[in-house]
Amino acid sequence: MPHYVVGHKIPDSDSICSAIALSYLKTTLGEETVPARLGELSPETLFILDKFGFEQPELKTSYAGESLYIVDHSERTQGPDDIDEATILGIIDHHKLGDITTSTPLECWIRPVGCTNTIIKMMYDFHNVEIPKNIAGAMMCAILSDTVIFKSPTCTTADIKCVEALAEIAGIDDAEALGMEMFKVKSAVEGTPVRDLVLRDFKDFDMNGNLVGIGQLEVIDLAIFDDIKADLAADIAKLKAEGNRHSVLLLLTDIMKEGSEMLVVSDNADLTEKAYGKATVDGKVWLDGVLSRKKQVVPPLQESFA
Amino acid sequence: MPHYVVGHKIPDSDSICSAIALSYLKTTLGEETVPARLGELSPETLFILDKFGFEQPELKTSYAGESLYIVDHSERTQGPDDIDEATILGIIDHHKLGDITTSTPLECWIRPVGCTNTIIKMMYDFHNVEIPKNIAGAMMCAILSDTVIFKSPTCTTADIKCVEALAEIAGIDDAEALGMEMFKVKSAVEGTPVRDLVLRDFKDFDMNGNLVGIGQLEVIDLAIFDDIKADLAADIAKLKAEGNRHSVLLLLTDIMKEGSEMLVVSDNADLTEKAYGKATVDGKVWLDGVLSRKKQVVPPLQESFA
């Protein structure tokens, strides 16, 4: 029975590309391992898979009785629902340490860098395994996505160096140009149902007993939301009620202006005032310089709930 | 303000030597870091510090407002009581993943190997930092202690290779002979108060809401307990009542016969029957081949509580 590698619910490019990259590494080291996913892929991720010739990983949501590696998170709310009935062999992640626990020793590679794939590159180097060209390309794109082409405050020197090394392996001359091409694909919202947009990159967090959902859409120009912003606001209000959530936040991130408009529905009227020092007006607040959910949005919010 | 490195409560040689080794590495990398401890040291650890010329790390139990690295555990019950008010920069460990969480990204090096110091050696190699002779000696002794001179089922090839490499750096010809010398020091119980023996290597675990304390004494001949076994049994019963624990277990491990006698007080009369398939008779049970609390005692017990 093969082992699995799976990322978080509502998979992003890092979750998918790191599952592909880690399963190849483990298999090469003699441990048959296959990548899997917990949900549908975003246009950005489909672009990457198509570009480098990968099939979509298997859609697999139940892991009872299986052995698996968790990538790109360590939170119970973001992993498979039946994770307690699985054996966790390892966790590769770059977020805060979540509430997943195990009953046996395991392998954790967790680093405060911009992308899980940067850590997986360290694992390849540690084991002295050569990265195939197409896997290097996919890993590189995941890093460009997670670091918003190096603009995010989560980006570290290790991520930049890693992209350089992977670009060389993949034979890509201009990594940043490919990054922009990828963000253009990511920016296309026309014709997509509103709910699909809200859930495209959506994560639930347990904040001191309160369920808080935070979505993010990164685009190269916020004007593309002008016609649908009211619908997005209405939909996150629905999502809050459906999931019995305390709050739902949707970050509309302008990667060129380097800031985010946050759409807010919450049981606390002063949520953003308390967490970010800026009041929500008409269900919206502009957060200048905010590009990273992980580093700039979640920690202050978590503290405001403490 | 320096950062700290601290291991678990009732520190063992791995907790202390890994705190010393990691703080030297971090300081060398430009981050001023000092080792600390949460309690008194065992005769074995004092022997190691004396042998390689180290002072005892600072006794420090409160970390509110401090930044620290956690070594040799990831359990809330085993860490500083006010850990929620501290910033955890990283965790280096070789146990199951515990319930410590963080609100910001961190550095975790967790591997299923026999000793934290084996992982710290990997960190020195990753950063290409030379290990000083005396630190190499202390790290080596910690690995010999945790792996019971390679006899424990937790011992991996990585641990054995690491001891070889550290022995060479430290200029020690016969690592195993030094290990036996260390275990002779560890076996000396005469003149030590019974409570001190029970707590010498004692850890509390949260097992599905039940507090379970498990102590271990590793000796080269179980006969040394003949005169005090009744006192030890009486004392763990007291400890159970004092701490409102569901169970207290004390492993008397014979490292030459390679097995453990377990002294048991528990709210469940069939605790060992259920977890290890062997009934407790007169508060005792012999577990053949059991040397490792982490790998052979805790996981089956945890499952029996699930």
Side-chain angles (χ1 to χ4, degrees):
Chain A
M1 213 164 60
H3 297 159
Y4 288 92
V5 188
V6 74
H8 52 75
K9 283 173 181 158
I10 308 176
D12 61 0
S13 298
D14 191 22
S15 268
I16 296 300
C17 297
S18 61
I20 290 171
L22 183 62
S23 62
Y24 177 86
L25 174 62
K26 288 290 174 186
T27 301
T28 303
L29 293 171
E31 178 185 341
E32 200 200 333
T33 306
V34 295
R37 61 188 165 96
L38 291 180
E40 296 310 316
L41 301 188
S42 73
E44 182 198 70
T45 307
L46 291 170
F47 167 86
I48 297 171
L49 297 188
D50 182 59
K51 174 108 195 152
F52 296 103
F54 291 102
E55 298 292 318
Q56 293 193 30
E58 176 188 343
L59 178 65
K60 181 175 170 64
T61 53
S62 172
Y63 292 83
E66 310 275 12
S67 293
L68 79 166
Y69 293 90
I70 296 288
V71 287
D72 202 26
H73 76 99
S74 60
E75 308 271 348
R76 298 173 65 85
T77 53
Q78 293 174 22
D81 290 332
D82 57 1
I83 199 164
D84 282 338
E85 295 160 64
T87 301
I88 301 175
L89 301 169
I91 300 176
I92 326 298
D93 188 29
H94 65 121
H95 298 85
K96 70 193 179 72
L97 187 60
D99 53 2
I100 286 178
T101 61
T102 67
S103 58
T104 47
L106 77 171
E107 174 181 13
C108 292
W109 297 65
I110 303 175
R111 300 288 183 281
V113 295
C115 183
T116 304
N117 277 282
T118 300
I119 306 167
I120 292 182
K121 169 71 159 60
M122 294 177 196
M123 296 177 74
Y124 272 88
D125 292 345
F126 177 84
H127 290 292
N128 209 12
V129 170
E130 211 173 305
I131 307 177
K133 249 178 120 152
N134 59 342
I135 290 182
M139 290 171 74
M140 188 197 80
C141 280
I143 301 171
L144 290 167
S145 171
D146 261 21
T147 63
V148 192
I149 317 176
F150 310 141
K151 288 180 183 182
S152 170
T154 61
C155 184
T156 67
T157 317
D159 299 300
I160 297 169
K161 282 193 179 158
C162 188
V163 164
E164 286 167 5
L166 292 169
E168 196 173 321
I169 296 168
I172 290 162
D173 291 333
D174 192 341
E176 297 193 29
L178 177 55
M180 271 309 285
E181 197 185 334
M182 194 174 70
F183 272 95
K184 270 179 201 147
V185 171
K186 196 173 197 165
S187 300
V189 299
E190 224 172 323
T192 308
V194 166
R195 175 58 60 97
D196 290 4
L197 289 177
V198 169
L199 293 186
R200 186 173 276 176
D201 176 9
F202 187 87
K203 289 180 183 172
D204 274 318
F205 298 86
D206 178 346
M207 300 215 173
N208 204 13
N210 303 288
L211 188 63
V212 177
I214 311 178
Q216 182 171 26
L217 291 167
E218 293 164 320
V219 297
I220 50 176
D221 183 0
L222 278 199
I224 68 153
F225 294 121
D226 284 351
D227 292 342
I228 59 166
K229 208 177 285 178
D231 296 337
L232 290 170
D235 198 63
I236 62 169
K238 256 198 250 170
L239 197 64
K240 174 179 179 302
E242 286 164 22
N244 211 6
R245 293 179 176 88
H246 176 281
S247 307
V248 175
L249 313 176
L250 182 63
L251 290 161
L252 306 176
T253 299
D254 190 318
I255 71 163
M256 304 311 287
K257 291 208 184 73
E258 305 196 11
S260 295
E261 182 167 71
M262 183 186 270
L263 307 187
V264 180
V265 285
S266 175
D267 290 343
N268 285 3
D270 64 348
L271 186 86
T272 61
E273 177 68 52
K274 224 175 136 192
Y276 312 111
K278 229 177 146 185
T280 305
V281 178
D282 293 337
K284 303 191 279 262
V285 56
W286 170 257
L287 300 174
D288 208 46
V290 168
L291 293 172
S292 166
R293 173 171 50 194
K294 182 179 82 164
K295 198 152 183 169
Q296 298 168 295
V297 175
V298 170
L301 199 60
Q302 193 129 26
E303 265 173 48
S304 79
F305 273 95
Chain B
M1 212 165 62
H3 297 160
Y4 287 92
V5 187
V6 75
H8 51 75
K9 285 174 181 157
I10 309 181
D12 62 1
S13 298
D14 191 22
S15 268
I16 295 301
C17 297
S18 62
I20 290 171
L22 183 62
S23 63
Y24 177 86
L25 174 62
K26 288 291 175 186
T27 301
T28 304
L29 293 171
E31 178 186 341
E32 201 202 330
T33 306
V34 295
R37 61 187 166 98
L38 291 180
E40 296 310 316
L41 301 188
S42 73
E44 182 198 70
T45 307
L46 292 170
F47 167 85
I48 298 171
L49 296 188
D50 182 58
K51 173 110 194 150
F52 297 103
F54 290 104
E55 298 291 318
Q56 293 192 31
E58 177 188 342
L59 178 66
K60 181 175 167 67
T61 53
S62 172
Y63 292 84
E66 310 276 11
S67 293
L68 79 166
Y69 293 89
I70 295 288
V71 288
D72 202 26
H73 76 99
S74 60
E75 309 271 348
R76 298 173 65 85
T77 52
Q78 294 173 21
D81 291 331
D82 57 0
I83 200 165
D84 282 338
E85 294 161 65
T87 301
I88 300 175
L89 300 169
I91 299 177
I92 326 298
D93 188 28
H94 65 123
H95 299 84
K96 70 194 179 71
L97 187 60
D99 54 2
I100 287 178
T101 61
T102 67
S103 57
T104 47
L106 77 169
E107 175 182 12
C108 292
W109 298 64
I110 302 175
R111 300 288 182 281
V113 295
C115 182
T116 305
N117 277 282
T118 301
I119 307 166
I120 293 183
K121 169 70 160 61
M122 294 176 195
M123 298 176 73
Y124 271 89
D125 292 346
F126 177 84
H127 291 292
N128 208 13
V129 170
E130 210 175 305
I131 308 177
K133 248 178 120 151
N134 59 342
I135 290 181
M139 291 170 73
M140 188 198 80
C141 280
I143 301 171
L144 290 168
S145 170
D146 262 20
T147 63
V148 192
I149 316 177
F150 310 141
K151 289 182 184 182
S152 170
T154 61
C155 184
T156 67
T157 316
D159 299 300
I160 298 170
K161 282 194 179 157
C162 189
V163 164
E164 286 168 4
L166 292 170
E168 195 173 325
I169 296 168
I172 290 163
D173 291 332
D174 192 341
E176 297 193 28
L178 178 55
M180 271 309 285
E181 196 185 337
M182 196 174 69
F183 271 95
K184 272 180 199 147
V185 171
K186 197 173 197 168
S187 300
V189 300
E190 223 173 324
T192 310
V194 166
R195 176 57 60 95
D196 289 5
L197 289 177
V198 169
L199 293 185
R200 186 175 274 175
D201 176 9
F202 187 88
K203 289 181 183 172
D204 274 318
F205 298 86
D206 178 345
M207 301 217 173
N208 204 14
N210 304 289
L211 189 61
V212 177
I214 310 178
Q216 183 171 26
L217 290 168
E218 292 164 321
V219 296
I220 50 176
D221 182 359
L222 278 198
I224 68 154
F225 293 122
D226 284 351
D227 292 341
I228 56 166
K229 209 179 282 177
D231 295 340
L232 290 169
D235 198 62
I236 63 170
K238 256 197 251 170
L239 198 63
K240 175 178 179 302
E242 285 164 22
N244 212 6
R245 293 178 176 88
H246 176 282
S247 308
V248 175
L249 313 176
L250 182 63
L251 290 160
L252 306 178
T253 299
D254 190 318
I255 72 163
M256 303 311 287
K257 293 208 183 74
E258 305 196 10
S260 295
E261 182 168 69
M262 183 187 269
L263 308 187
V264 180
V265 285
S266 174
D267 290 343
N268 286 3
D270 64 346
L271 186 86
T272 61
E273 178 67 53
K274 224 175 136 191
Y276 313 112
K278 229 177 147 185
T280 304
V281 179
D282 292 336
K284 303 192 278 262
V285 57
W286 170 258
L287 300 174
D288 207 45
V290 168
L291 293 171
S292 166
R293 174 171 50 196
K294 182 179 82 165
K295 198 152 182 168
Q296 298 169 294
V297 175
V298 171
L301 199 62
Q302 193 130 26
E303 265 172 49
S304 79
F305 274 96

